[in-house]
Amino acid sequence: MDGRVPQAFCSKADGNQEDGVERADSMEIMPLTTKDVKSLLALYRRVTADLKRNGVKQWDFLYPNWFVVRGDLKRGTAYGLRDGKHMIGAVVVDDRQSASYGELPWTLDGARCIHRLAVDPAWQGKGLGKKLLQFAEEQARASGGGCIRLDVYSGNPGAAQLYERAGYKQVGAIRFPMRSEPYFAYEKAL
């Protein structure tokens, strides 16, 4: 770094600010453990509140919940980014597919799945979503995956754009209980 303090680390009184991109680029994505359950849930709560403020009804008090998060952590499939002690980004990479995926016209085999990719609202726009997505693809490839599958809430166009810009192709749409809008299903060859 050049000695400037990233904006995310500056107090309002500090005149030496930048957008935090340089700091974000150097952050390492690490496997999460069951000790991370509280910090991961706190990240998901911050993201859920931000989605709600922006009219996106993707997540709520029912999902993602403690049982889902604890399962990801116990299976060793959750990865995260930290700013000191605070979890600022996370992604789950595994081979667990929703039963709804069975009705879709997938074209690729050897699927691994991405779930719950999230970036703290204060850190969005700094390339962390892209970094987590690239990491997830590397993890899937390293585990023998031939492709990635995922679903995106259709009411969250920003998330859909992230995946489309990364080369994901939509194969259809599925519905989940208690969600007013469908989820678009995507896949990408690795």
Side-chain angles (χ1 to χ4, degrees):
M1 293 187 65
D2 63 4
R4 294 181 292 162
V5 180
Q7 183 175 7
F9 295 88
C10 295
S11 69
K12 292 187 189 252
D14 189 342
N16 187 15
Q17 298 181 350
E18 62 181 55
D19 65 7
V21 173
E22 186 174 340
R23 170 76 177 167
D25 285 345
S26 66
M27 292 179 170
E28 187 176 353
I29 299 169
M30 303 293 293
L32 301 178
T33 70
T34 54
K35 293 178 183 176
D36 295 305
V37 70
K38 287 183 182 179
S39 59
L40 187 51
L41 281 168
L43 168 66
Y44 288 151
R45 282 192 298 273
R46 291 190 303 274
V47 171
T48 299
D50 187 63
L51 289 169
K52 187 176 180 179
R53 275 191 300 276
N54 289 300
V56 178
K57 299 173 183 174
Q58 177 176 343
W59 289 351
D60 55 26
F61 68 95
L62 296 173
Y63 181 88
N65 60 51
W66 185 90
F67 297 102
V68 169
V69 170
R70 180 98 169 133
D72 294 338
L73 296 171
K74 286 176 85 173
R75 285 186 295 277
T77 58
Y79 302 88
L81 277 167
R82 292 185 182 281
D83 170 26
K85 294 182 181 180
H86 301 291
M87 185 80 56
I88 61 168
V91 65
V92 173
V93 185
D94 63 22
D95 59 1
R96 297 167 55 97
Q97 299 183 53
S98 166
S100 300
Y101 280 21
E103 58 197 56
L104 293 167
W106 301 107
T107 62
L108 304 169
D109 295 321
R112 299 299 184 268
C113 298
I114 294 176
H115 309 279
R116 293 173 286 290
L117 190 151
V119 175
D120 187 297
W123 283 85
Q124 291 175 5
K126 295 174 174 49
L128 294 181
K130 181 178 177 181
K131 181 177 180 136
L132 286 162
L133 180 57
Q134 290 170 340
F135 174 86
E137 291 173 353
E138 291 168 13
Q139 287 297 117
R141 192 176 296 111
S143 71
C147 71
I148 291 277
R149 292 180 181 169
L150 56 89
D151 55 74
V152 179
Y153 187 62
S154 61
N156 189 347
Q161 288 173 358
L162 170 72
Y163 297 117
E164 290 168 4
R165 282 192 305 262
Y168 286 79
K169 304 296 181 203
Q170 185 178 340
V171 298
I174 57 176
R175 290 208 168 261
F176 288 110
M178 301 187 331
R179 298 294 179 247
S180 60
E181 297 182 50
Y183 283 67
F184 297 139
Y186 289 88
E187 69 180 347
K188 177 182 176 180
L190 295 175

